[in-house]
């Protein structure tokens, strides 16, 4: 079985991607071929060489420049858009189906993930008649400070609001449903203020056509995780990263993989240099996130109001 997997990074995230890649490699089956495509905005030849050194006989690693992909996709016609290609790259995962028209199904992973089981288990999940599979966002499901944002701004019950850091995509169905075209229509007509850009669009547009995946395939560290449980993939979303903090879930597994990459020294140095002012900044980022969400509750035009009008 051939399994297409997509990531997207720039040079800053190359060390983190190396850990995710190494953990993925460490949990592969010789029965499968894993084709990893790294989408990038800027990624030096040195970083590409380091990342590709993690490839194996059954894990291929290739690179694809986002600017080139978007130029091909829109035939360099900026008149099609109200945003330039650089702005559109924020929403790259919404265009994977169009950028890779020969692929029928794929996995998308954020770089701050740690693979704990063979990713083939995720790929083999049947999406049924839906085009997208994802795990609910566990922070928004429980955080009282963000409780009303998904419902009031995005138009999705917070218990059904998904995290876009791990996606199982039926690319053929996304093309058939013209998903990216519908997204572009919204982007061109409205300038929504959002706290999670592409994730909010994904939730608003696909909430009625979403397969909810088992939590094990996107166990998010914003909530407590049973480290002895059935965990397929750990997602270090938001602020408490193992290369910044020592008291994080699965830190031993993270560093075991990290020490097998060309970036081991860089990552250890990053951890040792993270100081009190950095942790204070993380706390402030969370406070700003909550403040922004509360401000957006007052906006008269939101994804929820616009899409509810289209449905009615």
């Amino acid at each position: 079985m051939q399994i297409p997997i997509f990531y997207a990074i720039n040079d800053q995230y190359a060390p983190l991607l190396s850990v995710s890649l190494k953990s993925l490699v460490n949990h592969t089956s010789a029965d499968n071929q894993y084709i990893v495509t790294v989408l990038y905005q800027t990624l030096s030849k040195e970083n590409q060489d380091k990342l590709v050194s993690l490839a194996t006989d059954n894990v291929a690693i290739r690179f694809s420049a986002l600017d080139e992909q978007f130029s091909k996709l829109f035939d360099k016609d900026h008149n099609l858009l109200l945003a330039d290609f650089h702005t559109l790259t924020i929403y790259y995962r919404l265009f994977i189906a169009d950028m890779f028209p020969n692929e029928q199904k794929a996995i998308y992973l954020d770089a701050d993930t740690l693979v704990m089981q063979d990713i083939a288990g995720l790929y083999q999940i049947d999406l049924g008649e839906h085009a997208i599979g994802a795990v609910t966002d566990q922070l928004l499901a429980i955080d009282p400070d963000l409780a009303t944002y998904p419902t009031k701004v995005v138009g999705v019950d917070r218990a059904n609001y998904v995290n876009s850091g791990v996606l199982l995509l039926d690319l053929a169905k996304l093309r058939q449903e013209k998903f990216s075209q519908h997204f572009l229509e919204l982007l061109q007509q409205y300038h929504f203020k959002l706290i999670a850009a592409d994730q909010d669009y994904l939730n608003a547009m696909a909430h009625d056509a979403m397969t909810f995946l088992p939590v094990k395939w996107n166990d998010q560290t914003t909530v407590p995780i049973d480290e002895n449980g059935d965990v397929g993939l750990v997602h270090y979303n938001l602020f408490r990263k193992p290369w910044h903090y020592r008291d994080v879930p699965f830190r031993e597994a993270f560093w075991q993989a990290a020490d097998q990459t060309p970036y081991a020294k860089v990552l250890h140095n990053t951890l040792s240099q993270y100081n009190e002012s950095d942790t204070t900044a993380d706390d402030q980022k969370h406070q700003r996130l909550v403040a922004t969400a509360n401000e957006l509750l007052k906006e008269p035009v939101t994804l929820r109001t616009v899409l509810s009008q289209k449905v009615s």
Side-chain angles (χ1 to χ4, degrees):
M1 179 170 60
Q2 190 171 99
I3 304 173
I5 303 158
F6 289 88
Y7 290 91
I9 64 162
N10 55 28
D11 281 300
Q12 178 185 354
Y13 289 93
L16 318 182
L17 175 58
S18 74
V19 182
S20 185
L21 283 172
K22 187 59 184 176
S23 66
L24 187 151
V25 167
N26 289 345
H27 294 89
T28 56
S29 166
D31 296 332
N32 301 318
Q33 290 292 319
Y34 305 79
I35 312 298
V36 176
T37 300
V38 179
L39 303 169
Y40 67 90
Q41 290 179 274
T42 57
L43 191 63
S44 69
K45 178 66 163 56
E46 178 184 1
N47 278 326
Q48 290 188 34
D49 289 344
K50 286 181 178 179
L51 291 170
V52 84
S53 72
L54 300 171
T56 63
D57 288 344
N58 68 328
V59 180
I61 300 173
R62 61 192 187 187
F63 304 91
S64 184
L66 275 173
D67 285 348
E68 291 178 12
Q69 288 289 348
F70 275 78
S71 293
K72 288 189 294 184
L73 192 58
F74 299 108
D75 197 27
K76 300 184 179 179
D77 184 359
H78 286 236
N79 293 325
L80 291 173
L81 311 167
L82 291 184
D84 60 21
F85 295 152
H86 181 72
T87 302
L88 276 176
T89 55
I90 297 169
Y91 305 99
Y92 56 84
R93 73 194 84 184
L94 305 183
F95 292 96
I96 290 174
D98 302 284
M99 289 190 287
F100 298 89
N102 295 325
E103 299 289 0
Q104 304 304 304
K105 185 180 181 182
I107 292 169
Y108 167 80
L109 300 178
D110 274 354
D112 55 355
T113 52
L114 185 69
V115 180
M116 303 294 291
Q117 296 178 15
D118 187 352
I119 205 73
L122 169 59
Y123 186 76
Q124 290 174 310
I125 293 176
D126 184 3
L127 292 176
E129 55 188 31
H130 296 156
I132 299 171
V135 174
T136 54
D137 191 294
Q138 290 149 34
L139 176 65
L140 267 71
I142 66 168
D143 190 331
D145 293 326
L146 296 169
T148 57
Y149 176 83
T151 306
K152 299 293 186 182
V153 177
V154 183
V156 181
D157 187 279
R158 67 171 176 160
N160 295 327
Y161 177 93
V162 300
N163 181 276
S164 64
V166 178
L167 298 172
L168 182 59
L169 302 169
D170 185 327
L171 301 177
K173 194 161 291 183
L174 286 169
R175 289 188 291 268
Q176 180 184 345
E177 295 175 355
K178 301 186 184 303
F179 184 85
S180 63
Q181 288 92 323
H182 295 321
F183 161 70
L184 283 171
E185 289 171 6
L186 280 174
L187 189 67
Q188 291 182 49
Q189 191 169 356
Y190 302 95
H191 298 281
F192 295 115
K193 297 175 183 178
L194 301 164
I195 66 170
D198 60 325
Q199 179 169 293
D200 285 343
Y201 274 105
L202 186 74
N203 274 278
M205 295 175 62
H207 69 277
D208 286 333
M210 185 82 67
T211 294
F212 295 102
L213 302 176
V215 171
K216 65 175 282 185
W217 289 116
N218 188 355
D219 252 317
Q220 298 147 50
T221 57
T222 48
V223 298
I225 299 176
D226 179 6
E227 295 192 42
N228 296 315
D230 181 18
V231 177
L233 182 146
V234 180
H235 184 190
Y236 294 103
N237 59 326
L238 291 183
F239 312 119
R240 298 195 65 79
K241 315 290 191 182
W243 54 94
H244 291 161
Y245 295 88
R246 299 179 189 278
D247 56 336
V248 297
F250 295 97
R251 59 188 177 275
E252 291 181 4
F254 176 87
W255 287 109
Q256 183 179 21
D259 287 337
Q260 298 175 51
T261 75
Y263 296 96
K265 185 176 180 181
V266 170
L267 288 163
H268 280 286
N269 286 342
T270 300
L271 176 63
S272 65
Q273 292 169 13
Y274 214 70
N275 56 38
E276 186 174 347
S277 65
D278 294 316
T279 61
T280 300
D282 282 343
D283 292 337
Q284 292 171 344
K285 288 176 188 174
H286 183 263
Q287 293 168 10
R288 287 197 296 271
L289 180 72
V290 172
T292 301
N294 288 331
E295 282 299 312
L296 295 180
L297 294 177
K298 305 171 187 175
E299 290 287 332
V301 179
T302 64
L303 274 170
R304 178 185 64 82
T305 61
V306 168
L307 290 179
S308 63
Q309 290 171 2
K310 288 181 179 295
V311 170
S312 59

